[in-house]
Amino acid sequence: MDWMDKLLYPLQWVVAWILAIFHEIFTAIGLQADSGWTWVLSIAGLTVVIRALLIPLFVYQIKSQRKMQLLQPEIQRLQAKYKGKKDQYSRQAMAEEQMALFRDNKTSPWASCLPLLVQMPIFFSLFRVIHNMPKVASGDVGAIGGFTQQLAIQAENSSIFGISLSAVFTDPGVAVKLLTGVLIVVMAATMFITQKQMMAKNMSESAMANPMMQSQKMLLYVMPLVFGIGGIYFPLGVLIYWLVSNTWTMAQQHMVIRNMPAPGSKAEKEMLERKARKGKTVKQEEIKGSTVTEEAPKKSGQRQQPVSKNRKKNKKR
């Protein structure tokens, strides 16, 4: 067992058990234990479980993105304040004020990356389980959780269109390169489309004008490229996991953007137009911020001043 297996063993143990449980479920309903499609369904089941567990993180991501939208006037005020000041002290002061603004409002421009970052250890754990599958089958490596030697032998003997789950693009054979190549392209394409629809439809013009969005735009092209190139070393089983995960993300994000768009975004305008065409009354709170109530952004370095009871009564009058 190398250092990576030792580091990821707890997650590998969980991933292997989930795979084993789904495999047992599908064989119990009549599917063949050594069929490649049984293992594909088991990997899909693993993906659904992982993505379901990540739903709270996805909700946090959406809320953070909405808070970033509401913070745009404050961010633009800071940019105007330090416009033309390129000395080190001014740039540091602007960065500190921006970080204080994000901290006070409990958000971050990098919140959109959280689901991907959390998935990476799980992704590599599945990678190592499938990578070690031949060694577990031969007995050179012990069982990983519920992934026993018998299960490993069944998985190793299974295939999809005659291709093993542990096969990679660099393996010899036209069929291997064709199937894994198609999956790599589709995987990268779904990742690009998911990020593109978020930027194109669920961000206001002021948010897109933020200089910080330049780094986000770079990720739009860099991440699919990285996974596309790295995909030639991913086993077929891992490619299936990532494809199912990307499809889940794309569908989930489409539903959220369609029904709960960010304030001022193109998706919000489209939602209001759909309701108008159907003759539905558009509520005032939907115009201000879709269906989610947002808190007013807190300005960095400012605190709420106490108000006496008499002053409160006068305000009400």
Side-chain angles (χ1 to χ4, degrees), residues 70-312:
L70 294 174
L71 284 176
Q72 290 311 307
E74 284 297 307
I75 293 173
Q76 290 174 352
R77 182 186 65 79
L78 280 177
Q79 291 169 354
K81 178 181 176 181
Y82 290 97
K83 186 176 181 180
K85 299 178 181 179
K86 297 183 180 181
D87 59 283
Q88 184 65 28
Y89 175 80
S90 296
R91 286 193 293 181
Q92 183 178 348
M94 180 179 173
E96 288 176 354
E97 287 193 46
Q98 280 188 333
M99 291 307 297
L101 188 64
F102 296 148
R103 184 177 60 252
D104 293 343
N105 288 274
K106 298 178 181 180
T107 187
S108 168
W110 304 108
S112 59
C113 300
L114 278 177
L116 177 63
L117 293 176
V118 171
Q119 276 197 91
M120 291 311 294
I122 301 167
F123 172 79
F124 284 115
S125 296
L126 178 62
F127 177 92
R128 296 304 297 179
V129 168
I130 295 178
H131 175 77
N132 289 325
M133 188 168 64
K135 296 179 182 179
V136 176
S138 64
D140 294 335
V141 173
I144 306 172
F147 201 73
T148 62
Q149 183 178 13
Q150 181 182 0
L151 276 180
I153 292 172
Q154 291 173 350
E156 188 66 12
N157 291 334
S158 67
S159 63
I160 306 169
F161 303 119
I163 301 167
S164 171
L165 290 173
S166 59
V168 297
F169 181 83
T170 53
D171 288 347
V174 176
V176 173
K177 296 186 185 304
L178 182 62
L179 180 58
T180 55
V182 168
L183 287 179
I184 290 168
V185 171
V186 176
M187 177 186 70
T190 51
M191 183 176 288
F192 177 83
I193 292 169
T194 301
Q195 296 181 72
K196 182 69 174 178
Q197 77 172 348
M198 175 63 74
M199 290 186 180
K201 285 199 168 187
N202 207 41
M203 287 192 176
S204 62
E205 293 181 4
S206 58
M208 292 300 294
N210 185 356
M212 281 188 160
M213 283 305 301
Q214 297 304 316
S215 57
Q216 294 280 8
K217 288 179 181 179
M218 285 181 62
L219 288 176
L220 174 65
Y221 298 96
V222 171
M223 292 305 294
L225 184 62
V226 168
F227 276 85
I229 295 173
I232 64 175
Y233 302 106
F234 297 161
L236 177 60
V238 174
L239 291 175
I240 292 169
Y241 167 85
W242 205 249
L243 178 60
V244 175
S245 180
N246 283 358
T247 305
W248 172 293
T249 303
M250 190 165 58
Q252 182 177 251
Q253 188 169 270
H254 174 76
M255 290 176 62
V256 170
I257 291 175
R258 179 180 174 84
N259 299 307
M260 297 171 58
S265 65
K266 180 181 177 182
E268 184 189 44
K269 295 177 183 177
E270 291 177 352
M271 183 191 73
L272 297 177
E273 288 174 359
R274 285 196 305 272
K275 289 192 173 185
R277 284 197 299 269
K278 292 178 181 179
K280 293 183 179 180
T281 303
V282 179
K283 298 179 182 179
Q284 189 66 23
E285 57 266 25
E286 290 181 317
I287 297 175
K288 290 181 179 180
S290 299
T291 57
V292 176
T293 303
E294 306 285 356
E295 296 180 358
K298 300 176 184 177
K299 295 183 180 181
S300 176
Q302 296 183 1
R303 67 183 184 89
Q304 185 69 32
Q305 296 295 329
V307 181
S308 66
K309 293 181 179 180
N310 291 335
R311 289 179 63 187
K312 285 184 178 178

Side-chain angles (χ1 to χ4, degrees), residues 14-27 42 146 151:
V14 173
V15 166
W17 261 114
I18 295 174
L19 275 177
I21 290 170
F22 272 108
H23 183 265
E24 185 174 346
I25 291 171
F26 289 124
T27 52
S42 300
L151 276 180

